[in-house]
Amino acid sequence: MILEMNHIRKHFDDLDVLKDISFGVDSGEVVSIIGPSGSGKSTLLRCATFLEKIDGGEILYMGEKAAYTDESGNAVYVHHQQLRHFRSYCGLVFQQFNLFPHYTVLRNLTDAPIHVQHREREEAEATAMELLGKMGIKDKALAYPYQLSGGQQQRVAIARALAMRPEILFFDEPTSALDPELTGEVLKVIRQLAEEKMTMVVVTHEMPFAKAVSNRVIFMAGGVIVEQGDPLKVFDDPQEERTKQFLQVFER
C-alpha cells in the first residue's frame, strides 16, 4: 500500500475539520473524494502531502510512518530530512495551477528536479519535454504561464508534478477554475494517467468522471467519511441518507 492515513484529526481553532479519518491507497488505484464544500476534502489532501500538520492519527507511505500520535496524544513528525524523503513520494496539483509566473513552462518543470532532486539539467529537460508532449503542449515549452489558457496551465501543472516522479499524485479540484470546454482537456489527461495505472487521489465535483475513472469513491461530509466503495455502488445505490441527498443534485 502506498498511502495509509489512520484516525486523522485536524482542527483550526475551535473548528474540527477532520474527525477520525482513515483510508488507504494501493499502487495503481484511482480514488476520487467527493462531498460538499467545507467537508474537509482539501484539508485531507494538504495533510497527506505535508502542507498541513495533523493534530492526531498517523500517516504512512510505503509502510513507513511519517507522522504518528505519541503517548501524550500529540502528533509527532519524523525528522525534517526523513520528511523530505516522504514528500518525494507525493505530488499535488492545485485548483489555481500555482505556476511560477516569471519562469517559462520548461523551467517550471525542471527547476525542482534540478535543485531539489539534484538531477542533471539535460536529463531533467528531456523528461520535461517528454511530459509536455504527453500533455499535448510541447510547443509551449518556452512560453510563460500568462500566455497559456487555463487548461494549458493546468496541464503544465500536472506535468510539473509528474516531473518529480511521485509514487502518488493528488489533485485538489483540478477543474474548478476552468470553463466546461477546458475542463474536458484536463479530465482527458487524468483519464489517460489512470489508464497508465498512475496512483491518484482526486478531489472533484465532476461526478461522471469520478464514476467512470475511479476504482473507489469516498464521500465525505462534516469532516468524516460517510460512505465509500465501488463507484457504481456509491453512485447508483448509495446506502447512507447523506450520500443520497448529496447525489440528488447531480445528474446520474
Side-chain angles (χ1 to χ4, degrees):
M1 187 169 287
I2 290 183
L3 169 67
E4 293 176 70
M5 299 186 78
N6 299 319
H7 306 294
I8 300 298
R9 293 181 290 106
K10 176 66 182 176
H11 64 80
F12 296 106
D13 297 323
D14 295 330
L15 180 64
D16 290 325
V17 180
L18 300 177
K19 310 169 187 174
D20 198 18
I21 295 276
S22 296
F23 78 106
V25 185
D26 283 320
S27 178
E29 190 176 22
V30 179
V31 177
S32 286
I33 303 178
I34 62 172
S37 297
S39 58
K41 306 183 301 296
S42 294
T43 299
L44 182 62
L45 258 58
R46 292 178 67 83
C47 288
T49 54
F50 309 109
L51 293 177
E52 294 283 358
K53 286 194 171 184
I54 61 173
D55 294 311
E58 62 178 10
I59 302 173
L60 296 89
Y61 275 96
M62 316 296 277
E64 297 180 83
K65 283 186 182 179
Y68 58 93
T69 304
D70 65 14
E71 294 177 356
S72 303
N74 299 312
V76 177
Y77 281 77
V78 295
H79 188 270
H80 67 89
Q81 287 278 36
Q82 289 176 281
L83 201 57
R84 185 183 300 174
H85 167 69
F86 285 112
R87 283 194 175 109
S88 72
Y89 287 134
C90 53
L92 176 59
V93 178
F94 301 88
Q95 297 178 32
Q96 300 294 339
F97 324 136
N98 286 19
L99 300 175
F100 294 115
H102 55 296
Y103 286 179
T104 64
V105 166
L106 183 61
R107 189 172 173 189
N108 264 284
L109 265 67
T110 59
D111 194 65
I114 291 170
H115 295 107
V116 177
Q117 296 182 331
H118 308 295
R119 283 152 58 186
E120 293 294 329
R121 180 175 300 277
E122 185 176 342
E123 187 262 335
E125 290 185 351
T127 298
M129 292 304 293
E130 181 182 340
L131 287 167
L132 290 174
K134 189 174 182 177
M135 300 294 149
I137 47 175
K138 196 172 185 177
D139 60 325
K140 302 297 184 183
L142 299 182
Y144 288 86
Y146 78 90
Q147 297 172 309
L148 307 179
S149 70
Q152 289 170 333
Q153 289 187 59
Q154 192 59 295
R155 281 182 279 163
V156 172
I158 295 170
R160 181 178 62 177
L162 289 169
M164 297 294 284
R165 298 175 176 166
E167 295 288 340
I168 181 170
L169 199 52
F170 296 88
F171 294 85
D172 187 8
E173 298 186 14
T175 60
S176 65
L178 304 175
D179 64 37
E181 186 175 1
L182 299 180
T183 291
E185 293 179 11
V186 173
L187 293 182
K188 182 179 178 182
V189 168
I190 301 174
R191 188 184 297 264
Q192 179 185 347
L193 292 172
E195 290 171 357
E196 295 170 1
K197 299 300 181 184
M198 180 72 201
T199 309
M200 295 184 284
V201 177
V202 186
V203 169
T204 183
H205 288 299
E206 300 290 336
M207 298 301 134
F209 169 81
K211 183 177 179 179
V213 176
S214 309
N215 301 107
R216 182 157 45 97
V217 169
I218 292 173
F219 171 64
M220 283 182 64
V224 301
I225 292 176
V226 177
E227 188 165 352
Q228 64 175 309
D230 179 270
L232 295 179
K233 179 72 174 174
V234 172
F235 282 104
D236 294 340
D237 187 25
Q239 300 301 297
E240 301 295 330
E241 189 58 36
R242 184 67 185 91
T243 316
K244 295 175 185 176
Q245 292 171 359
F246 176 77
L247 292 174
Q248 279 175 356
V249 301
F250 295 98
E251 292 184 3
R252 298 276 174 99

